Structure formats: structure tokens, C-alpha cells
Amino acid sequence: MSTLVIAEHDNASLKGTTLNAVAAAQALGADIDILVAGGSCDGAAQAAAAVPGIGKVLVADNAAYEHQLAENISLLVAEVGAAYDNIVAPATANCKNFMPRVAALLDVAQISDITAVDSADTFERPIYAGNVIATVQSADAKKVITVRTTAFDAVASEGGSATVEACGAVHDAGISAFVGEEVAVSDRPELTSADVVISGGRGMQNGENFKLLEGIADKLGAAIGASRAAVDAGFVPNDMQVGQTGKIVAPDLYIAVGISGAIQHLAGMKDSKVIVAINKDEDAPIFQVADYGLVADLFDALPELESKI
Amino acid sequence: MKVLVAVKRVVDYNVKVRAKADGSDVDLNNVKMAINPFCEIGVEEAVRLKEAGTASEVIAVSVGDKSCQEQIRTALALGADRGIQVETDGNVEPLVVAKLLKGVVDKEEPALVILGKQSIDGDNNQTGQMLAALAGMGQGTFASEVAIDGDKVKVTREVDGGLQTVSLNLPAVVTTDLRLNEPRYASLPNIMKAKKKPLDVYTPEDLGVTVTTHLTQLKVKPPAERQAGIKVESVDELVDKLKNEAKVIS
């Protein structure tokens, strides 16, 4: 049995989500190699080689893979993955983009967003926005799997010395091109890897009021998130959305401000270690999952909180 | 230019779905069904392309038993021109749906196929990408903006940390994210008109596809419950608890 983990990276470095995917791969009980596909991605490849317990790191370094275009990456992963029993990737926006394409090319199902490995062919995954956990069994000889990263503790990033070798042909499907990107530049940590997250909901009333979260976020080194209601209302961009259809987070501390606690939001944050809810509606469902609830007007509570931490 | 838009019949997003007590499946007795919200955004986008003069015809397709005709009619009421139902026994897996849609794509040869990024029942987020792979098309998933530009389509995508824009050769597949548009409500006259619009029914055999099963759902269970904690009386007490009890801030 052998497992290929697809690395999530930014060419220069390995993303932490890769370490969660490796943890899920370990649960499958097979030998693990990592594939790093990118452009000028030596930094990421070296970081992957330092992960303990990895057989080898396969590197496909070509301009065709620099921006992770699904049309090109999927051809590569299908080719390299042909020799493996399992192909595993973190369920990030990037891997969710190309992994189903890989599965279709290999004519197998994809098992999306697994939260537990019961055996080599049986997995748990949330459905219906996390209201239900399904146990599914795969009949495919080859398994294409994406991993809900918050459900698996990251493996160590240092201590290994895997061999690094080039792999795969250059696949450029020639049907898509990268035009540009607008990546939010921020000194704050990324939502999915932050130790502390503070999120605002519809109770924030407008986008301007999200500034009230910024001072607290700066003091705590927190990332700022939002509920779907706040995104739908146009307060903040969608990449801040925490929830079943947005980002899944599990920080040490999650502070929900003006968020009622719709199930689809809870699905995205209920694995946080400590949850704080600030809401003026004492019956809000968010209080049913909060370790510490404060029934208060957020416009009074936030400035006070900022001054006292 | 022809636009094909796929719609799925799912449990209404306001319904809180629960596992049956015996864990055999989810309890869907007498629950309200609706068009998947992301598919509705897809229909809206297709109709807007037609209203802008970019698309000449919008075809709504759904895979499922006869009841999914209701959601096809919803799409027709929102402005699609005609419908196609691919008749199957209940829900089939994303890979099979993608193969069936590929069959429809081969028949209709649309320049653009629009799907929701995921359905709110299975939460798989697979079908659009799989269809694109099978049809050899480029894909613009999680789209927040779609602009047709000659024989290409420029798609702005919601990615981790921001937005990415790609240019795809047509024909191409687009999957919708929340911010792409805000769907309209169907007017009563349009609902009446939709009843008269053509709706063709195909079987998987018509499309040369064998329905296969790759994944079996063994059981379902409710998610782990989280215990409610305590209510604090003041910001001071909150800060004290976080520092000295939970020890998550210093």
C-alpha cells in the first residue's frame, strides 16, 4: 500500500495544511510520498523533505504548474498518482479545485472532506452542512481523498530527510491561463492557521464596524473572520467567511461577535478549543456552543474588551 | 452562444436535517425540497448572459427521478428557455452525474456550462470539476465574476486569501460561489409560462452512460455535541476567565 500526498504550498514554502493531510495519510497505514507541483518550488520541496516519515518528495517544477491551474495539475497528479493506492490532499480552495478532476481522469470517486479514517476503505465525512456525519465505504481500488484539515492534528514539520527527485512529464493542457490575483495583504495570520480568530456577524451592522474587531485582533495576533450573513449582506469579502461553505477553522480561541450561530457557521468553527460569544440576544444559538457567553451590546463590549486585554 | 446550467433538487436550506435514530440514513420525510442555492445562482448568471445578448439560449438540466422536474420548472420560471431531465432512481454519485452531464454536453454542444460549486446535501464540491475533466474543458470554479471575451471566458475565482482570475478557452465549465450574483424571484406570469416550456427526458442509456456505485453510505450519526459553557456578567469577568481559567490569552 502506498499513499501520495499532494502538497499545498506557495512555491517558496509548504503550507501547514499539508501537515494535516500527512496526518490523515498516516491513518491510512501506508507508505507516504509527497508531490510538490509548482513553479520555482524548491523552497516548498525542501520543506516537504523535512517532514518526518516521508519516503520521498516528488517535484514537478515547471511554469505550467506555477499558478496551480487545475487543467494542468490534474493531468500531472493523475499520471504520478497512477502508481499509488491513495491520493490525498488537504481540502483547501486550491486542492478542491483540481482533485475532483484527478478522480474523473482516473474514473474513481472522490471522497471529499474526510474527518476520520475508520479503515483503509472506510471514512467519515460531514454532510448537510455538518448536521450529519456519514460513514462511507469506497469500492474503488484507488482512492482520491480530500481532508478536512481541522480534523487531523498536524504532523511535525522538522526532523525528516526524505530524498527529493523530479517526476512527471510537463502537462500543459493549453486551455487555461492565469491572468492575475488579488491576494489580501495583511500582517495578520491566515484564517485557517491562526491560533486566535475573531469573527463578526450581521450584528456588526456594516463593513465599517469591522474596524472594531481590528484593535482586538492586533492585540491577540488574531485573524478576522465573518459569518455568511455578514458576507451575504456585503459587509466583508467572501474569503473571510467561516462556515460550511467558507473556511473551516479550529483555533485555540474563537470569538464570535454579533453572530447568531446558524448551523452552517457552527460547522465551520465548532472544533475550536475555546469559544467566546458576544451577542445582545441571550437566546442566540451561538451560546449553546460557547464556553464563555457575554450578553451585551457589541458596540459597548468591543471597545472595553480591547482596552482590557 | 448556448449556455447549459445544471440544477439539483435538494432539501431546502432552512431545514435542519437530522440523522434517523437507527443511523440508517438522514430523515427526509415530509421535508421541503428546493433548488440548490448555488445552482440558483448559476441559473441567474445564465439568464443574465442571455439578457445581455451574450447567450442565445439557456438550457436547464437536472439528474434525478421525476420529482426534479419541479426544480427544472423553477429554472424555466427564472428565465431558462428549455429543460432536460436525465432520469435516474434518486440520487447518483457526482462522478456519474458528471458522466451524464457530459452526455448532454455532447448532444447540445454548449459554449458554457454553469453549475453550483457544491450542493448543500452531499457537500461534495466535485461535479463541475469532474465534468470539465471528462469533457476536456477548462474550469473556473468558485466564480465571483464571469466575463465572456470573444472565444474565451474570464473568471474571477474565490480562493484562500483573495481572488484569482483565469482565462479559459470556450467551451468551458464555471461553478458559482455566493457573491457571483443575487438571484431574482420568479414572477407569477413567468411561473405560468414555465409550465409550457419544453422539457425533454433522457435515460442514462440514451446518453451511453452506465450508472455505477463507487461509494456506499454505511451509516449516519449526529455530530459530536459541544457542551454549552457559562454566561459571564462583564467584560472584566470574560478577560479574567480567558486569562486564568482557559489560559488562552496572556
Side-chain angles (χ1 to χ4, degrees), chain A residues 3-6 8 16-28 32 86-96 99-100 110-117 123-126 143-155 192 246-249 271, chain B residues 123-124 126 160:
Chain A
T3 299
L4 182 67
V5 173
I6 316 300
E8 174 81 13
T17 48
T18 306
L19 303 173
N20 304 105
V22 169
Q26 286 177 345
L28 290 164
I32 301 170
N86 310 301
I87 305 173
V88 175
T92 55
N94 176 47
C95 293
K96 286 196 281 196
M99 286 292 275
Q110 171 175 293
I111 307 135
S112 294
D113 234 358
I114 64 163
T115 52
V117 176
F123 311 92
E124 292 182 19
R125 56 179 304 269
K143 289 162 191 70
V144 173
I145 297 167
T146 65
V147 175
R148 177 159 296 195
T149 53
T150 54
F152 296 89
D153 289 333
V155 299
T192 50
K247 302 228 164 54
I248 312 292
V249 303
D271 293 329
Chain B
D123 282 327
N124 281 300
Q126 298 176 3
D160 291 339

Side-chain angles (χ1 to χ4, degrees), chain A residues 4 8 18 51 63 70-71 78 80 105 127 133 140 143 160 169-170 185 207 215 231 255 258 262 265-266 275 291 307:
Chain A
L4 182 67
E8 174 81 13
T18 306
V51 177
E71 297 78 6
V80 176
L105 291 171
I127 57 175
I133 308 295
D140 288 317
K143 289 162 191 70
V170 174
V185 182
V231 172
I255 307 176
H265 184 75
L266 300 183
I275 296 176
D291 299 283
S307 71

